[in-house]
Amino acid sequence: MRRVLLGLLLAFAMFPFASSLGASDAVQLQESDVHVPECAEVRTEAPYQAFGYTHIVVVRNGCEDTLRCQVATNVDPEWQTLTVPEGETGRVATRRGSPSREFEPRVRCET
């Protein structure tokens, strides 16, 4: 009985964290450091995986041509290249194991 009560107590203590651990936390952006054509959309995701959050920048291409993008964040300022074909969605994981889910994307795309 004591183990059951201890287990319940621990479960309730972890409740605020449990809801955030598996969520992808997608966020729509209106950032000033995101420069993409109007036919494209940028958002971020920060799912909790293994030992921390994975920072992912997502680019959806609604344009009639392939997008060529440079992607970085305030946490990882080194630029990565992302090519997204017409009508598809591309993702770049910029950091794994971050202690924080918060980050700001820097994206520059052109057709």
Side-chain angles (χ1 to χ4, degrees):
M1 181 70 171
R2 190 177 265 179
R3 287 184 188 181
V4 172
L5 290 175
L6 182 59
L8 286 174
L9 180 62
L10 287 173
F12 284 117
M14 291 298 293
F15 182 74
F17 303 108
S19 63
S20 66
L21 294 181
S24 72
D25 299 320
V27 177
Q28 291 294 95
L29 300 173
Q30 302 296 326
E31 295 291 332
S32 61
D33 211 6
V34 174
H35 303 282
V36 298
E38 287 188 25
C39 53
E41 176 185 310
V42 175
R43 62 185 170 88
T44 61
E45 297 175 353
Y48 189 87
Q49 299 175 331
F51 298 105
Y53 293 96
T54 299
H55 295 175
I56 302 171
V57 178
V58 181
V59 178
R60 188 185 67 74
N61 183 358
C63 304
E64 296 179 2
D65 201 2
T66 297
L67 283 177
R68 286 169 291 289
C69 304
Q70 295 295 313
V71 178
T73 70
N74 62 319
V75 178
D76 296 286
E78 188 170 324
W79 293 97
Q80 296 184 42
T81 301
L82 175 65
T83 302
V84 186
E86 169 188 355
E88 294 190 20
T89 300
R91 289 177 166 75
V92 173
T94 60
R95 164 124 346 184
R96 295 185 193 279
S98 174
S100 172
R101 74 169 59 160
E102 302 296 322
F103 68 101
E104 296 176 21
R106 297 184 174 128
V107 182
R108 309 255 189 289
C109 295
E110 57 185 36
T111 56

